[in-house]
Amino acid sequence: MRHLLSANDLSHADAVAMLDLAEDMAEVNEREVKKLPTLRGKTVVNLFFEDSTRTRISFELAAKRLSADVINFAAKGSSISKGESLKDTAQTLEAMGADAIVLRHSSSGSAFRLAHTDWVESSIINAGDGSHEHPTQALLDAMTIRQSLSQDVRGRDLRGVRVLIVGDISHSRVARSNLILLSTLGAEVHVCGPATLAPGSLVDQQRVHYLLNQALRDVQPHVVMMLRVQQERMSASFFPTEREYSRIWGLNKSRLAALDEKTLVLHPGPMNRGLEIDATSADSKSSRVLNQVRNGVSVRMAVLYSLLSGEKN
Amino acid sequence: MNNNFVLQGATDSTGSTVDVVIESGVLVGKPSAGVDHEVIDCSGLRVLPGFVDLHTHLREPGFEQSETVASGSTAAAAGGFTAIHAMANTFPVADTAGVVEQVARLGHDAGLVHVQPIGAVTIGLKGEQLAELGAMAQSKARVRIFSDDGNCVHDPSLMRRALEYVKAFDGVIAQHAQEPRLTVNAQMNEGALSAKLGLAGWPGVAEEAIIARDLMLTELTNSRLHICHVSTAGSVELIRQAKRRGVKVSAEVTPHHLLLTEDLAGSYDPIYKVNPPLRKQSDVEALRIGLTDGTIDVIATDHAPHPKESKDTDWASAAFGMVGLESAYAIAQQVLIDSGESDFERLAEVLSTNGALISGLSEQGRYLEVGSKANLTLVDPKLAIQMELKTHSMSENNPYAGLSFKGGVVHTIYDGQFSYRNRNIIDRSAR
């Protein structure tokens, strides 16, 4: 595998293998000396055209734990803000010796373009392209869900698991990648949100719910994944006010109390506490938000290892 | 330059063999005695009226890195066109007599094709205030077609006034139908594919709602409407119904909307990014039916050249548009002739005669009429064409590069003389 651009790039077998590899990496992350020499001498560039501290740091840590050299290239204050194009920036970095480029960009399909034009030869990892996909996010979500199923998870997929994704599905790359990957792994994925933000043809109509209380009752999900609500959706009339959004689609104390105690609460972060999720829910025993962050490093180590180590795992 | 020819043994649009005699650039019934004619063997070639394109972006003044009037004229002549209409979204915008006269003069100096300037409907294409339509109509450029193409005249009150105002000089408003509020930052056709690709959608209703409104305004004002680049089945049906009611509307379709679908966007390659976007197969089929049953009057290229840096990038940053002057005939032949759906008589109407009528160009679209100035195109329907990235246009945003077609232009005769002969451009620039 040369690139990771979309959750579609992973078959069922690939996905299970990647999650197993991530469990191995998680063990490295528990040691005192959190290091593997595998990618020594390789250079990984984090090419981030959009603001992101968490994902970037996660990839940076992952690369460093594998002993790779890391370069961080952020859009603000760089040549990009002076009008340099994606093509030129990528080629400049490759000329300096990048083996892999982790790309986050506001334009859907930008990672695909970078991988399929003749601009660069490096491996490309999609860290989020517009509203299209964010495959490593889906992998860390899948890993988090899988860990709750049993003690020994290796080789397991997500068959029998019901997941409810709540929020702005139509603009969410996290939702898109999860819809693909969780289904590949056998989970039953439902979505819930205002009809203005509905996923259209991405999801079977029977799995689309417009009201959260009803969705939680009807689906009885094992996992509730809350998506971040963006301000610009309100100004474009996708929903009237934050208060109304929170009232109907927010995860709050009372909705949390009605959930089975084994239900997982996930959120890709950053959270708008009080909007799509309240503090009680975010800090509850059901919340796996910190596990997600931890698993993010492991999953990204697994991906970098798969793409760059040149070894068959 | 000699302009006494006999085009011998050509086939006309009805299938009959003809010898076309041209003397001093004018068609005559038979060769006059005492005149020295060059006899040109045209056996195996179809002679058609010179093609007329109602929708061409020549980019000059202002965007000469993409195309100039001269280079666009060259591409046009190679494509078999004897008349093209220069859209107004130049810089400065063609919203005054001064700019349209300049464009006309540049076309005249290139000497390869009749360059008919189109005037903007509103000042700066801003959609706020009418441009001096009268001044442009009365200028040396004799503008009759007005369009804000690139932008939609979305304000209904302004569109009504524009339709009424042009009646004074038999003008026509050519609308780029796109409700801006429904297509904010739209990238491709709205549907299952756009949802999958994460690209903002351009719903068909944004085109159809404007067309429906404009058809009613045209009825109300008893004026003339032309609809640019129709792209959906719904639009075709609206126009069909309106024509039945007697509304004075004409419509155009591009070659790419007759051939290509949205599936090509799956590669995220912006060579397929165009406005209006490529749609579904069912839309392509409805457009083809509309072209043959008379609902759609002309094929218009919407030739939209762009420099490499505008397309060699990610989809969202890329410009909208494809070049099309040199691929139009082959696609028309494929869609109308090779498909068995129509014939050369209809092809001649949609590539030439109807366009000349809509625009009021009296010397264009005259087919083998004795006494008319020679504006003719000779094509070889059996010629194997390999489309290249590099054409006579300055730009290379050609979605057909690498594809094979059948049917090509061999000669183009503009204003009585060859502009394109044996697939080579003739230099006719004014010195």
Side-chain angles (χ1 to χ4, degrees), chain A residues 60-135:
Chain A
E60 183 176 346
L61 265 175
K64 283 181 171 165
R65 297 231 169 121
L66 293 170
S67 301
D69 294 326
V70 178
I71 304 172
N72 289 312
F73 196 103
K76 286 210 169 75
S78 71
S79 53
I80 296 161
S81 57
K82 296 181 201 158
E84 191 182 36
S85 69
L86 171 60
K87 176 181 180 179
D88 282 328
T89 312
Q91 288 186 325
T92 304
L93 292 169
E94 188 176 73
M96 294 189 215
D99 296 291
I101 297 179
V102 177
L103 179 70
R104 167 163 288 191
H105 197 283
S106 59
S107 179
S108 297
S110 46
F112 191 93
R113 281 290 279 162
L114 198 54
H116 288 89
T117 53
D118 56 3
W119 304 340
V120 294
E121 304 259 307
S122 332
S123 282
I124 310 295
I125 297 171
N126 182 7
D129 62 330
S131 38
H132 181 229
E133 288 220 37
H134 193 357

Side-chain angles (χ1 to χ4, degrees), chain B residues 95-111:
Chain B
D95 57 10
T96 59
V99 179
V100 295
E101 283 190 352
Q102 180 196 3
V103 173
R105 187 186 60 77
L106 287 166
H108 177 266
D109 288 351

Side-chain angles (χ1 to χ4, degrees), chain A:
Chain A
M1 195 168 76
R2 242 190 99 201
H3 308 292
L4 180 62
L5 307 171
S6 153
N8 277 310
D9 296 343
L10 299 163
S11 66
H12 179 275
D14 292 333
V16 173
M18 189 68 81
L19 293 179
D20 290 347
L21 183 58
E23 292 293 342
D24 293 339
M25 297 300 176
E27 273 169 20
V28 172
N29 291 334
E30 298 298 319
R31 297 182 200 157
E32 211 189 313
V33 178
K34 303 173 176 51
K35 234 13 171 185
L36 280 179
T38 330
L39 296 187
R40 200 159 69 161
K42 302 273 186 183
T43 306
V44 175
V45 177
N46 285 328
L47 184 49
F48 276 56
F49 287 76
E50 274 184 341
D51 273 343
S52 159
T53 322
R54 331 145 64 76
T55 308
R56 208 205 70 219
I57 289 180
S58 185
F59 268 106
E60 183 176 346
L61 265 175
K64 283 181 171 165
R65 297 231 169 121
L66 293 170
S67 301
D69 294 326
V70 178
I71 304 172
N72 289 312
F73 196 103
K76 286 210 169 75
S78 71
S79 53
I80 296 161
S81 57
K82 296 181 201 158
E84 191 182 36
S85 69
L86 171 60
K87 176 181 180 179
D88 282 328
T89 312
Q91 288 186 325
T92 304
L93 292 169
E94 188 176 73
M96 294 189 215
D99 296 291
I101 297 179
V102 177
L103 179 70
R104 167 163 288 191
H105 197 283
S106 59
S107 179
S108 297
S110 46
F112 191 93
R113 281 290 279 162
L114 198 54
H116 288 89
T117 53
D118 56 3
W119 304 340
V120 294
E121 304 259 307
S122 332
S123 282
I124 310 295
I125 297 171
N126 182 7
D129 62 330
S131 38
H132 181 229
E133 288 220 37
H134 193 357
T136 57
Q137 177 70 39
L139 279 166
L140 70 88
D141 289 335
M143 183 175 184
T144 309
I145 297 171
R146 197 170 81 146
Q147 284 169 342
S148 72
L149 297 179
S150 63
Q151 279 294 86
D152 182 17
V153 297
R154 278 182 175 69
R156 281 205 64 163
D157 62 9
L158 300 179
R159 236 169 309 186
V161 177
R162 287 188 302 279
V163 181
L164 180 69
I165 306 179
V166 185
D168 181 357
I169 312 294
S170 62
H171 297 100
S172 169
R173 53 190 172 214
V174 170
R176 264 183 192 74
S177 288
N178 267 302
L179 280 164
I180 296 168
L181 187 70
L182 299 179
S183 303
T184 300
L185 288 165
E188 184 185 310
V189 187
H190 294 248
V191 300
C192 176
T196 47
L197 297 171
S201 47
L202 288 173
V203 180
D204 196 11
Q205 269 307 109
Q206 290 169 333
R207 297 197 180 168
V208 176
H209 310 264
Y210 295 136
L211 298 172
L212 185 53
N213 288 339
Q214 224 158 307
L216 291 172
R217 265 200 318 268
D218 295 343
V219 178
Q220 301 283 314
H222 301 100
V223 181
V224 178
M225 186 185 298
M226 307 306 296
L227 297 178
R228 203 172 78 81
V229 175
Q230 288 174 283
Q231 282 296 359
E232 27 304 16
R233 306 302 168 221
M234 194 166 77
S235 53
S237 300
F238 284 97
F239 57 86
T241 56
E242 288 183 353
R243 190 171 51 209
E244 170 137 315
Y245 184 91
S246 183
R247 233 185 253 145
I248 304 179
W249 296 285
L251 184 61
N252 52 30
K253 254 197 314 218
S254 61
R255 287 186 177 120
L256 183 72
L259 293 177
D260 181 290
E261 59 175 20
K262 292 218 290 272
T263 309
L264 301 187
V265 171
L266 300 188
H267 192 301
M271 299 186 277
N272 289 316
R273 283 171 178 249
L275 179 46
E276 72 267 0
I277 188 168
D278 71 353
T280 310
S281 309
D283 301 331
S284 70
K285 279 211 289 276
S286 309
S287 167
R288 292 289 185 276
V289 169
L290 295 175
N291 298 62
Q292 286 174 281
V293 174
R294 217 171 291 133
N295 291 335
V297 181
S298 307
V299 134
R300 286 159 182 145
M301 285 169 74
V303 170
L304 284 168
Y305 182 101
S306 300
L307 261 45
L308 291 180
S309 70
E311 294 169 30
K312 295 245 179 276
N313 47 298

Side-chain angles (χ1 to χ4, degrees), chain B residues 29 112 154 177 189 215 227 229 274 324 336 424:
Chain B
L112 288 168
H154 57 86
N189 182 42
L215 289 167
I227 301 175
H229 42 52
V274 65
L336 289 169
N424 288 310

